[in-house]
Amino acid sequence: MCADASRLVGANPRGPLRACSLAVRASLTSFIDEAGAPPALVVGLSGGADSLALALTTIDVAARAGIPVVTVTVDHGLRAGSGEEARRVADRAESLGARAVVETVSVEGPGGPEGSARDARRAALRAVARREGAPILLGHTMDDQAETVLLRLARGSGPSSLRAIAPVSRDDDGVTWLRPLLALRRTDTEQACAQAGLTPLQDPTNDIDGPWRAADGSPLRRSALRHAAIPALASALGVDPVPALARTAALCAADDDALSQWASALAASAPPGEEHDSETRHPSLAVSALLGAPRAVRTRALREAARAAGIRALSSAHVDALDDLVVAWRGQGPIDLPGGIASRVGRGAHARIAFVAREVGDPTSPDPD
């Protein structure tokens, strides 16, 4: 039996509903061609237009392929009536043909309400995906992409960060995240829902005067970008900036991929040295190989070696200090990094940058920043 979503979408949808359906079909076809048909699909469903259009078209496409869909609606518990609202969203998903799950989470942490809610939401989605052995589909659109690029530009980010939201990403444990709607606009998802006769929820936390505020009392950054900065850019430039910002993300992704491949080749061309690697197996890189590479490639190779040692979350200051071990060597000692240390070992042609992870609970090493 076809899901009710298939009745609403129809055999030959048109306009924005067709665009959403084709985008979902293309994303799932690509995933299945690479990984095989999954036992289920997990869709993050807040009830807003983006996620509702995604859930509708995913249930339709999956039903025709015989793949069950599990929607996950996260109740952050930050607004009165949020639990009842989440249940209504889940009921709608079940009426469309999905198995609907409501996950209640606790929002707390150092990232503020927006960042903490995002972390809690991702953890809830990951838990369901791991249980189902399924990829996760999210409803990010081109507008979300543009907002993310602007947020990262404001932090002074490089290509690795300005690539922004990837259409496909995989966690270290293999959980896959799919974002089929990145080439579509927010207006497309709104119109797709209208075509299907579905009324999305309006989340007040997305409003510029919503209940959540930044630490300084101003609107949340993404809400301010959405409702003030991007319209102001459109007015000042005389064109819609969203497609150009999304194009920037795509160009940065291509550049970053090329630089990362170069850095991986550089790291692979520097065989383990006798001083540390053969005995303790700590990752290290030959200084002579690094010196001949551009800084953009050199620093990526250093980051990659640090990650191989289990050292992550390096700041720009950490990377600058690592690069100084290569190009501005003045006899400086080991550099403290989040979760470990890096040091220059050996002399002359045998000099290397070696990374050693800090033992968990080691009281003799300073805590990472």
Side-chain angles (χ1 to χ4, degrees), residues 102-285:
V102 174
E103 295 286 335
T104 302
V105 299
S106 176
V107 177
E108 55 186 6
E114 192 173 24
S116 298
R118 181 177 59 250
D119 291 344
R121 189 163 56 246
R122 284 181 62 89
L125 285 164
R126 274 179 48 80
V128 175
R130 286 175 60 83
R131 184 169 69 239
E132 300 289 338
I136 303 165
L137 285 77
L138 300 178
H140 294 115
T141 65
M142 186 186 295
D143 297 83
D144 296 300
Q145 183 75 295
E147 292 160 9
T148 302
V149 170
L150 285 176
L151 285 168
R152 294 182 177 183
L153 276 172
R155 295 202 297 262
S157 300
S160 293
S161 187
L162 290 181
R163 63 187 300 148
I165 306 172
V168 181
S169 59
R170 290 180 177 83
D171 294 343
D172 291 342
D173 60 359
V175 172
T176 301
W177 304 76
L178 305 176
R179 301 169 180 86
L181 307 183
L182 277 179
L184 304 182
R185 301 299 298 271
R186 194 168 286 136
T187 53
D188 291 324
T189 64
E190 293 167 351
Q191 292 170 19
C193 289
Q195 283 182 261
L198 300 177
T199 302
L201 290 179
Q202 299 297 324
D203 186 351
T205 60
N206 290 327
D207 297 337
I208 195 168
D209 57 353
W212 291 2
R213 314 297 289 179
D216 61 1
S218 62
L220 294 179
R221 303 302 179 226
R222 188 174 289 272
S223 296
L225 283 174
R226 182 173 303 177
H227 297 288
I230 290 180
L233 274 175
S235 176
L237 298 173
V239 296
D240 180 3
V242 169
L245 289 167
R247 177 64 175 161
T248 295
L251 291 171
C252 285
D255 289 349
D256 186 51
D257 285 341
L259 290 169
S260 295
Q261 290 171 14
W262 190 354
S264 295
L266 173 66
S269 70
E274 296 179 359
E275 293 87 354
H276 278 231
D277 302 77
S278 61
E279 297 177 5
T280 61
R281 301 184 185 276
H282 296 315
S284 72
L285 294 174

Side-chain angles (χ1 to χ4, degrees), residues 72-90:
V72 179
T73 302
V74 177
D75 173 20
H76 301 94
L78 295 174
R79 291 186 287 113
S82 63
E84 180 183 348
E85 183 179 273
R87 188 65 257 169
R88 289 200 304 271
V89 172

